[in-house]
Amino acid sequence: MKFQQHTIQAAIFDMDGTMLDTERLRFDVLKQASLEIIGVEFSLDYLMQCLGLNALSSEQLAQKFYGQDIPYQHIRQRAEQIELEMILSQGVPVKAGLLEILAYLQSQNIRLAVATSSTRKIAEKYLKLAKIDHYFTLLVCGDDVIQGKPHPEIFNKACTLLNLNPQHSLMIEDSENGITSAHLAGGVTILIEDIKAPNQTMLARADYYFESMLDFYQSIIKSD
């Protein structure tokens, strides 16, 4: 498949904030859990810096903000419990245009993968609840790598397992940490705006920028 001037063989999607509209929900449940456990809500500054990070990196960042003794694992477990309860009752919010783009890419024999900082337990459950798990032949999660985003390990691993050159892969992200990871991995980087408006660093590391998944879908249709 052709996208702009690129020959594309695979598309590797981030999950939270890119495919699923879950980042705002995650902010809310982390605030609630931290307030319950330490009596202080996690700040917006801290949460924004966590975008795209895996659990270990988020914990290390929390220690810088709130001290080495912060019971981060307890807070995260409680937040995940609250979030799952809400997801089970309300469903998983899917970004507009996602179902169309997954179906189209699949029809073009593009291999589809997920590279998410979320744990495998959470990722598998959310993809299944969103009814999109069947599209993906590969899932690489935050607990499958040593170096989380912004390190390129997660995208490098996905490309190795797919047995393809990164330059033939779309890497679709929404966060600064994520787009940096994809950029360093050498993929065709797609930045889709979510909770954080793109700054100059993000735009510089993105080969293409779209305000929504729907805009990206329309661009692919026109390009191919």
Side-chain angles (χ1 to χ4, degrees):
M1 184 188 87
K2 285 288 187 180
F3 176 69
Q4 306 296 343
Q5 75 271 28
H6 310 281
T7 299
I8 299 300
Q9 299 174 345
I12 307 172
F13 288 80
D14 173 53
M15 186 177 76
D16 294 296
T18 301
M19 293 193 294
L20 307 181
D21 194 8
T22 47
E23 294 289 20
R24 293 169 182 81
L25 172 61
R26 186 145 303 153
F27 277 20
D28 289 342
V29 299
L30 281 166
K31 285 180 179 181
Q32 181 178 336
S34 59
L35 184 61
E36 286 181 10
I37 293 168
I38 63 173
V40 175
E41 283 189 354
F42 279 158
S43 69
L44 182 60
D45 183 21
Y46 165 70
L47 293 170
M48 291 294 280
Q49 290 188 45
C50 283
L51 289 173
L53 297 182
N54 63 15
L56 178 59
S57 297
S58 295
E59 180 173 12
Q60 292 170 343
L61 186 61
Q63 289 170 345
K64 292 180 181 178
F65 270 77
Y66 301 101
Q68 291 293 319
D69 296 332
I70 184 172
Y72 178 82
Q73 293 298 325
H74 187 192
I75 294 170
R76 190 177 181 99
Q77 288 168 5
R78 174 58 180 149
E80 289 180 355
Q81 178 187 23
I82 299 168
E83 183 176 322
L84 183 56
E85 290 171 355
M86 296 178 70
I87 289 291
L88 289 173
S89 65
Q90 302 173 18
V92 181
V94 175
K95 289 296 185 76
L98 176 67
L99 300 182
E100 291 86 350
I101 199 168
L102 292 177
Y104 179 76
L105 291 172
Q106 187 179 67
S107 75
Q108 300 301 302
N109 297 314
I110 299 300
R111 286 175 284 175
L112 301 176
V114 177
T116 175
S117 296
S118 290
T119 63
R120 179 165 294 274
K121 179 180 178 181
I122 290 292
E124 288 180 345
K125 184 179 292 290
Y126 281 24
L127 294 172
K128 185 174 182 179
L129 288 170
K131 299 181 181 178
I132 58 174
D133 56 311
H134 62 283
Y135 284 108
F136 301 102
T137 59
L138 176 67
L139 175 59
V140 185
C141 302
D143 43 1
D144 296 326
V145 296
I146 297 172
Q147 301 276 0
K149 300 173 185 178
H151 193 279
E153 181 183 355
I154 195 165
F155 284 106
N156 287 337
K157 184 169 185 175
C159 289
T160 297
L161 293 171
L162 290 169
N163 192 29
L164 60 81
N165 190 311
Q167 70 181 9
H168 297 307
S169 175
L170 298 174
M171 297 181 179
I172 302 111
E173 276 283 357
D174 70 291
S175 70
E176 183 168 351
N177 289 312
I179 204 68
T180 299
S181 175
H183 172 72
L184 292 174
V188 179
T189 53
I190 308 294
L191 176 62
I192 299 178
E193 185 173 342
D194 182 46
I195 200 167
K196 180 179 181 178
N199 56 35
Q200 289 304 310
T201 299
M202 296 166 72
L203 293 171
R205 292 171 181 169
D207 292 313
Y208 303 94
Y209 162 66
F210 300 95
E211 292 185 352
S212 70
M213 183 68 72
L214 196 55
D215 289 342
F216 176 39
Y217 169 62
Q218 292 169 346
S219 177
I220 279 197
I221 295 294
K222 292 176 182 177
S223 179
D224 189 28

